Amino acid sequence: MQVVLDDYTQGAVLATELANTSPTVWVVAGDRLTDIEAVQSLLDDNDVRSSAPTGTHDLEQVRALRDRLRDILDAPAPAELITLTHDALSVVPHRIELTEIDGEWRWQAATEKDCSLADELTVLTGYALLGTVRALGIERFRACASPTCNGVFVDVSRGGRRRYCMPGLCGNRINVANHRQRRRSPGEA
Ligand SMILES: [Zn+2]
């Protein structure tokens, strides 16, 4: 997979959507990544084309990446966010190259041929999150404003005023009531 480094939007959106498939967010309904088809459909929705094969082990690896992304999105300060992202990128075999795309010279990250799907998605999301910090700042990494939601998101919108991790869902009280459940403390019925 080749990832253009100055284009962070797609990877940041995917990082948000992937993090929010977690059972941490879908407290009642459970994990949204039930099988590899769910992973594929998430990639299709985000126009992400991966050359890596997809199987059961890929599902587990993508879920592990999801946990890592959640830690990154939850990082309290830029230094921690950047260190966690560097750590994730450091174990994926890839190289940075200067490539001509449509008559323009651009930096891109290219993963090695034997990389897994999760490796490719690590490179795609990792550089995108770093690019977001560089271009937009750490304040674009936020928790969902809905009091009933545990979601997080990266706001790559032009105005930077996004409030919800899933705007169509978390901004709508009835939908939230139907699909989710308020965080419960242990012992509460
Ligand atoms: Zn939310």
Side-chain angles (χ1 to χ4, degrees):
M1 177 184 272
Q2 276 96 35
V3 175
V4 179
L5 296 187
D6 55 8
D7 182 7
Y8 52 81
T9 305
Q10 183 192 38
V13 170
L14 180 67
T16 292
E17 294 199 1
L18 184 53
N20 291 327
T21 61
S22 159
T24 310
V25 178
W26 293 87
V27 180
V28 174
D31 198 331
R32 302 288 80 201
L33 290 186
T34 45
D35 48 32
I36 198 66
E37 284 75 24
V39 174
Q40 190 58 55
S41 131
L42 179 71
L43 299 182
D44 291 344
D45 289 349
N46 285 280
D47 212 19
V48 174
R49 312 221 183 289
S50 167
S51 54
T54 52
T56 321
H57 61 288
D58 287 312
L59 176 62
E60 290 313 312
Q61 289 173 3
V62 171
R63 282 178 176 162
L65 169 62
R66 174 177 71 185
D67 293 344
R68 245 181 142 151
L69 288 172
R70 177 68 198 226
D71 289 343
I72 291 169
L73 298 180
D74 280 340
E80 193 171 341
L81 190 156
I82 290 165
T83 301
L84 288 170
T85 310
H86 285 171
D87 289 350
L89 286 168
S90 71
V91 294
V92 178
H94 68 284
R95 58 193 183 280
I96 305 299
E97 13 181 76
L98 188 63
T99 310
E100 191 173 15
I101 301 172
D102 298 332
E104 269 188 82
W105 292 104
R106 302 177 77 177
W107 292 111
Q108 72 175 15
T111 54
E112 298 296 335
K113 282 203 167 55
D114 56 352
C115 275
S116 67
L117 173 63
D119 284 343
E120 294 190 338
L121 299 183
T122 299
V123 168
L124 175 60
T125 55
Y127 283 107
L129 296 178
L130 294 176
T132 305
V133 173
R134 189 188 69 81
L136 302 175
I138 190 79
E139 59 277 9
R140 293 299 191 96
F141 293 73
R142 304 194 198 118
C144 183
S146 165
T148 58
C149 179
N150 303 324
V152 288
F153 64 95
V154 188
D155 182 1
V156 289
S157 69
R158 189 180 289 264
R161 285 190 286 272
R162 179 170 164 184
R163 298 183 62 218
Y164 301 106
C165 70
M166 289 171 256
L169 190 61
C170 306
N172 180 326
R173 273 167 186 263
I174 294 162
N175 275 344
V176 170
N178 285 342
H179 290 278
R180 315 249 196 112
Q181 183 170 317
R182 194 180 293 271
R183 255 175 293 193
R184 292 184 173 197
S185 56
E188 192 181 341

